[in-house]
Amino acid sequence: MHTPRLALPLLQPGQAQKEMLVNEAIALLDIAVQGAVAAAALDVPPVDPNPGDCWIVGNAPGGAWAGHAHEIAGWTSSGWLFVRPREGTQLWVGSTGSVALFTGGAWRLGELHGKLFIEGDQVVGPREAAIAEPSGGSTVDAEARTAIASVLDALRAHGLIEGG
């Protein structure tokens, strides 16, 4: 007998008198370690879950999830288990193919947080101030201005600089 996601071994009845507590602890580990959920921000439990499937509970849960807002709900052969996320908990959300981050008491879905380094060099940092479009001057170079405007538009579209 083992947990459905990570195949952690469970105690068999009769192996120890504490199999229920040990098995529940192992099932909670199976939910939280290398966390992945089917979907996020659901307030109603799925009708026919499979053991090992998990979800991020929404803001106003009902039914079997009542009282577990923002927690990770995992279905086991014994029923629902819940894990309260800690600051910095990250989970893979299968329905969106993105990451969820728990910060400031709430889940932030589909966002990446931090700095981007490539081979030890930071290539993306905090958003910088707006850069004005080129204008004026004694010589107008339309091609250069078009190229600069295109670069600025791309940086704005990616959120790397503010709109001008």
Side-chain angles (χ1 to χ4, degrees):
M1 201 155 135
H2 62 289
T3 62
R5 273 191 350 99
L6 299 177
L8 298 171
L10 298 173
L11 294 177
Q12 300 297 317
Q15 275 184 302
Q17 296 301 317
K18 298 178 179 100
E19 68 267 359
M20 293 304 290
L21 295 175
V22 171
N23 286 348
E24 182 173 328
I26 291 172
L28 288 169
L29 279 170
D30 191 52
I31 291 168
V33 174
Q34 295 182 347
V37 295
L42 299 180
D43 287 323
V44 178
V47 176
D48 192 22
N50 293 314
D53 288 347
C54 301
W55 292 265
I56 294 175
V57 178
N59 296 328
W65 288 2
H68 295 281
H70 305 293
E71 294 182 18
I72 304 161
W75 180 252
T76 70
S77 57
S78 300
W80 290 107
L81 288 179
F82 298 91
V83 175
R84 181 167 290 141
R86 296 182 63 161
E87 184 73 14
T89 297
Q90 291 187 58
L91 301 172
W92 177 255
V93 182
S95 62
T96 60
S98 63
V99 175
L101 172 69
F102 188 79
T103 184
W107 288 99
R108 298 187 67 153
L109 305 173
E111 300 176 5
L112 294 178
H113 295 264
K115 298 176 182 175
L116 177 60
F117 287 82
I118 296 178
E119 296 181 3
D121 294 324
Q122 185 176 350
V123 295
V124 176
R127 180 181 287 180
E128 297 292 331
I131 299 171
E133 299 282 341
S135 64
S138 59
T139 305
V140 176
D141 183 342
E143 291 177 4
R145 287 187 185 203
T146 299
I148 292 169
S150 295
V151 169
L152 293 174
D153 287 343
L155 292 171
R156 289 183 192 111
H158 289 287
L160 299 174
I161 62 173
E162 293 179 6

